[in-house]
Amino acid sequence: GESVGLHLPTLSVQEGDNSIINCAYSNSASDYFIWYKQESGKGPQFIIDIRSNMDKRQGQRVTVLLNKTVKHLSLQIAATQPGDSAVYFCAENIGYGQNFVFGPGTRLSVLP
Amino acid sequence: EPEVTQTPSHQVTQMGQEVILRCVPISNHLYFYWYRQILGQKVEFLVSFYNNEISEKSEIFDDQFSVERPDGSNFTLKIRSTKLEDSAMYFCASRNGRIGNTIYFGEGSWLTVV
């Protein structure tokens, strides 16, 4: 079946550097994507979303890029902080009202 | 800020016992979900609920599982006869449905079946 996957299962970055977390999706019908942050023992926390009619969206210190040609999604975190250490999941939504399919997650570790 | 709340935060139960996990979705939301996450694995969809009925369910959501919205605020997941492999974190989520498509998750209920 269709699935969402991640290129890198773990990512370590120095505090203050920028982080880039990648996600590949295989369902060309997906039209809405969300990045979630999950800290240990907690539920997924919404970070940023993007619709398929956009290729870039910016939030506070985060940017999501969508490349529909290669079915690729990325999350950029500027000036990574220790509090950014978590597992990051991308999730895709095929159509309004449908459930979200999650990728396997990338663990981000911020080094002092 | 409104949030999805779940109880209990952690439950240990014996294999074969029934378990009910409870959720209070965000009050003006119309769509409700249960997801689960086995330790160290990705978040998996179980079931979605809209207009007092199941709108979609996954292969995981077999006859041992059921959901209910007994009143205007609660949304429950029942596992009729728990198995060891049901041990996981169970997340409730909700979505407005009128504005935006984002689903918001609760903090989860950690179920341990022994």
Side-chain angles (χ1 to χ4, degrees):
Chain A
E2 301 288 1
S3 64
V4 177
L6 289 168
H7 295 307
L8 298 173
T10 59
L11 177 66
S12 296
V13 298
Q14 291 293 136
E15 183 178 352
D17 287 352
N18 297 334
S19 303
I20 300 176
I21 301 171
N22 297 302
C23 176
Y25 66 96
S26 57
N27 191 334
S28 58
S30 295
D31 63 359
Y32 179 60
F33 305 87
I34 300 178
W35 279 101
Y36 285 95
K37 173 186 180 183
Q38 187 178 29
E39 295 174 284
S40 181
K42 295 189 175 183
Q45 178 186 0
F46 172 87
I47 301 174
I48 192 168
D49 59 356
I50 189 167
R51 296 200 174 280
S52 59
N53 60 352
M54 304 171 69
D55 53 21
K56 180 179 180 179
R57 189 154 191 238
Q58 287 185 291
Q60 188 177 14
R61 279 201 309 120
V62 294
T63 301
V64 55
L65 300 177
L66 175 62
N67 185 331
K68 294 182 286 294
T69 303
V70 295
K71 299 190 188 71
H72 183 266
L73 194 70
S74 69
L75 176 70
Q76 300 178 2
I77 304 173
T80 312
Q81 301 169 359
D84 295 328
S85 293
V87 176
Y88 290 81
F89 293 94
C90 63
E92 64 175 323
N93 183 229
I94 297 172
Y96 197 88
Q98 301 302 312
N99 82 81
F100 283 79
V101 175
F102 280 74
T106 293
R107 179 172 298 281
L108 176 65
S109 296
V110 181
L111 307 173
Chain B
E1 184 172 322
E3 59 182 18
V4 177
T5 58
Q6 292 185 240
T7 55
S9 57
H10 189 192
Q11 181 163 353
V12 180
T13 189
Q14 287 199 322
M15 190 169 53
Q17 294 296 305
E18 176 182 284
V19 162
I20 297 177
L21 305 178
R22 302 179 192 279
C23 169
V24 179
I26 296 172
S27 63
N28 61 347
H29 284 192
L30 302 176
Y31 294 81
F32 314 115
Y33 305 83
W34 283 101
Y35 284 78
R36 81 170 186 191
Q37 185 178 31
I38 295 171
L39 185 64
Q41 298 186 24
K42 67 178 181 180
V43 179
E44 299 176 292
F45 169 74
L46 291 178
V47 65
S48 59
F49 193 87
Y50 170 71
N51 200 26
N52 288 319
E53 62 183 19
I54 291 173
S55 52
E56 190 177 357
K57 60 182 180 180
S58 71
E59 296 173 348
I60 304 168
F61 194 87
D62 61 22
D63 292 343
Q64 294 297 313
F65 291 88
S66 62
V67 290
E68 194 176 38
R69 187 156 165 81
D71 52 43
S73 60
N74 290 285
F75 180 52
T76 63
L77 174 70
K78 182 192 290 186
I79 308 174
R80 195 188 344 263
S81 178
T82 49
K83 303 184 284 289
L84 294 177
E85 54 264 37
D86 293 327
S87 295
M89 181 76 94
Y90 288 82
F91 293 108
C92 176
S94 70
R95 179 168 66 86
N96 184 296
R98 294 190 195 91
I99 53 173
N101 202 23
T102 304
I103 58 172
Y104 295 92
F105 285 81
E107 293 292 279
S109 292
W110 182 249
L111 176 65
T112 302
V113 182
V114 297

